[in-house]
Coordinates of all heavy atoms in Angstrom, one line a residue:
E17 N 15.0 -20.6 -3.1 CA 14.5 -20.2 -4.4 C 14.2 -18.7 -4.4 O 13.8 -18.2 -3.4 CB 13.3 -21.0 -4.8 CG 13.6 -22.5 -5.0 CD 12.3 -23.3 -5.4 OE1 11.3 -22.6 -5.5 OE2 12.5 -24.5 -5.7
F18 N 14.4 -18.2 -5.6 CA 13.9 -16.8 -5.8 C 12.6 -16.9 -6.5 O 12.5 -17.3 -7.6 CB 14.9 -16.1 -6.7 CG 14.8 -14.6 -6.8 CD1 15.3 -13.8 -5.9 CD2 14.0 -14.0 -7.8 CE1 15.2 -12.4 -5.9 CE2 13.8 -12.6 -7.9 CZ 14.4 -11.8 -6.9
P19 N 11.5 -16.6 -5.8 CA 10.1 -16.9 -6.3 C 9.8 -16.1 -7.5 O 10.3 -15.0 -7.7 CB 9.2 -16.5 -5.1 CG 10.0 -15.5 -4.3 CD 11.5 -16.0 -4.4
L20 N 8.9 -16.6 -8.3 CA 8.6 -16.0 -9.6 C 7.9 -14.6 -9.3 O 8.0 -13.7 -10.2 CB 7.6 -16.8 -10.4 CG 8.2 -18.2 -10.9 CD1 7.1 -19.0 -11.6 CD2 9.4 -17.9 -11.8
D21 N 7.3 -14.4 -8.2 CA 6.6 -13.2 -7.9 C 7.4 -12.2 -7.1 O 6.9 -11.4 -6.4 CB 5.2 -13.4 -7.3 CG 5.3 -14.1 -6.0 OD1 6.4 -14.5 -5.6 OD2 4.3 -14.2 -5.3
M22 N 8.7 -12.4 -7.0 CA 9.5 -11.6 -6.2 C 9.6 -10.2 -6.7 O 9.6 -9.2 -5.9 CB 11.0 -12.2 -6.1 CG 11.9 -11.4 -5.3 SD 11.5 -11.5 -3.5 CE 12.6 -10.4 -2.8
T23 N 9.6 -10.0 -8.0 CA 9.7 -8.7 -8.6 C 8.5 -7.8 -8.2 O 7.3 -8.3 -8.3 CB 9.8 -8.8 -10.1 OG1 10.9 -9.6 -10.5 CG2 9.9 -7.4 -10.7
E24 N 8.8 -6.6 -7.8 CA 7.7 -5.7 -7.3 C 7.5 -4.6 -8.4 O 8.5 -4.0 -8.9 CB 8.1 -5.1 -6.0 CG 8.4 -6.2 -4.9 CD 9.2 -5.7 -3.8 OE1 10.2 -5.0 -4.1 OE2 8.9 -6.1 -2.7
A25 N 6.3 -4.2 -8.6 CA 6.0 -3.2 -9.6 C 6.4 -1.8 -9.0 O 6.4 -1.6 -7.8 CB 4.5 -3.1 -9.9
H26 N 6.9 -1.0 -9.9 CA 7.3 0.4 -9.4 C 6.2 1.4 -9.6 O 6.4 2.5 -9.2 CB 8.5 0.8 -10.3 CG 8.2 1.0 -11.7 ND1 8.3 0.0 -12.6 CD2 7.8 2.1 -12.4 CE1 8.0 0.4 -13.8 NE2 7.7 1.7 -13.7
C27 N 5.1 1.0 -10.3 CA 4.2 2.0 -10.8 C 2.9 2.1 -10.0 O 2.0 2.8 -10.3 CB 3.8 1.8 -12.2 SG 3.3 0.1 -12.5
G28 N 2.7 1.3 -8.9 CA 1.5 1.4 -8.1 C 1.5 2.4 -7.0 O 2.6 2.7 -6.5
F29 N 0.4 2.9 -6.7 CA 0.2 3.9 -5.6 C 0.5 3.1 -4.3 O 0.1 1.9 -4.1 CB -1.2 4.5 -5.6 CG -1.3 5.6 -4.6 CD1 -0.9 6.9 -5.0 CD2 -1.9 5.5 -3.4 CE1 -1.0 8.0 -4.2 CE2 -2.1 6.6 -2.5 CZ -1.6 7.8 -2.9
P30 N 1.1 3.7 -3.3 CA 1.4 2.9 -2.0 C 0.1 2.5 -1.4 O -0.8 3.3 -1.1 CB 2.1 4.0 -1.1 CG 2.7 5.0 -2.1 CD 1.7 5.0 -3.2
A31 N 0.0 1.2 -1.1 CA -1.2 0.6 -0.6 C -1.5 1.2 0.8 O -2.6 1.3 1.2 CB -1.1 -0.9 -0.5
R32 N -0.4 1.5 1.6 CA -0.6 2.1 2.9 C -1.4 3.4 2.9 O -2.1 3.7 3.8 CB 0.7 2.4 3.6 CG 1.6 1.2 3.8 CD 3.0 1.7 4.4 NE 3.7 2.5 3.5 CZ 3.7 3.9 3.5 NH1 3.0 4.5 4.4 NH2 4.4 4.6 2.6
L33 N -1.3 4.1 1.8 CA -1.9 5.4 1.7 C -3.3 5.4 1.0 O -3.8 6.4 0.5 CB -1.0 6.4 1.0 CG 0.4 6.6 1.7 CD1 1.2 7.6 0.9 CD2 0.2 7.1 3.1
M34 N -3.8 4.2 0.8 CA -5.1 4.1 0.1 C -6.2 4.9 0.8 O -7.0 5.5 0.1 CB -5.5 2.6 0.1 CG -6.7 2.3 -0.6 SD -7.2 0.5 -0.4 CE -5.7 -0.3 -0.9
L35 N -6.2 4.9 2.1 CA -7.2 5.7 2.9 C -6.6 6.9 3.5 O -5.5 6.8 4.0 CB -7.8 4.8 3.9 CG -8.5 3.5 3.5 CD1 -9.0 2.7 4.7 CD2 -9.6 3.8 2.5
P36 N -7.3 8.0 3.6 CA -6.9 9.2 4.3 C -7.0 8.9 5.8 O -7.7 7.9 6.2 CB -7.9 10.3 3.9 CG -9.1 9.5 3.5 CD -8.6 8.3 2.9
K37 N -6.3 9.7 6.6 CA -6.2 9.4 8.1 C -7.5 9.3 8.8 O -7.8 8.4 9.6 CB -5.3 10.4 8.7 CG -5.0 10.1 10.2 CD -4.2 11.2 10.8 CE -5.1 12.4 11.2 NZ -4.4 13.4 12.1
G38 N -8.5 10.1 8.4 CA -9.8 10.2 9.1 C -9.6 10.8 10.5 O -8.6 11.5 10.8
K39 N -10.5 10.4 11.4 CA -10.5 11.0 12.8 C -10.8 9.9 13.8 O -11.4 8.9 13.5 CB -11.4 12.2 12.9 CG -11.0 13.4 12.0 CD -11.9 14.6 12.3 CE -11.4 15.8 11.5 NZ -12.3 17.0 11.6
Q40 N -10.3 10.2 15.0 CA -10.5 9.2 16.1 C -11.9 8.8 16.3 O -12.3 7.6 16.5 CB -9.9 9.7 17.4 CG -9.8 8.6 18.4 CD -8.9 9.1 19.6 OE1 -8.5 10.2 19.7 NE2 -8.6 8.2 20.5
S41 N -12.8 9.8 16.2 CA -14.2 9.5 16.4 C -14.9 9.0 15.2 O -16.1 8.7 15.2 CB -14.9 10.7 17.0 OG -14.8 11.8 16.1
G42 N -14.2 9.0 14.1 CA -14.8 8.6 12.8 C -15.1 9.8 11.9 O -15.8 10.7 12.4
M43 N -14.6 9.8 10.7 CA -14.8 10.9 9.8 C -15.6 10.4 8.6 O -15.3 9.4 8.0 CB -13.5 11.5 9.3 CG -13.7 12.7 8.4 SD -12.1 13.5 8.0 CE -12.7 14.8 7.0
P44 N -16.7 11.1 8.3 CA -17.6 10.7 7.2 C -16.9 10.8 5.8 O -16.3 11.9 5.5 CB -18.8 11.6 7.3 CG -18.7 12.2 8.7 CD -17.3 12.3 9.0

C-alpha cells in the first residue's frame, strides 16, 4: 500500500538542523 501520509511537505525547515552544533564540552 501507498500510505496516506507518504506525501512529504516541502515547506518545513530541516529537522536535522533544528539545533546548532554546540561544543563538545557543552555550549550555553
Side-chain angles (χ1 to χ4, degrees):
E17 294 183 356
F18 193 85
L20 295 177
D21 63 349
M22 182 66 188
T23 302
E24 301 158 321
H26 66 272
C27 53
F29 191 80
R32 295 176 299 96
L33 301 179
M34 185 187 304
L35 301 179
K37 187 182 78 169
K39 294 186 176 179
Q40 189 168 6
S41 59
M43 182 172 179

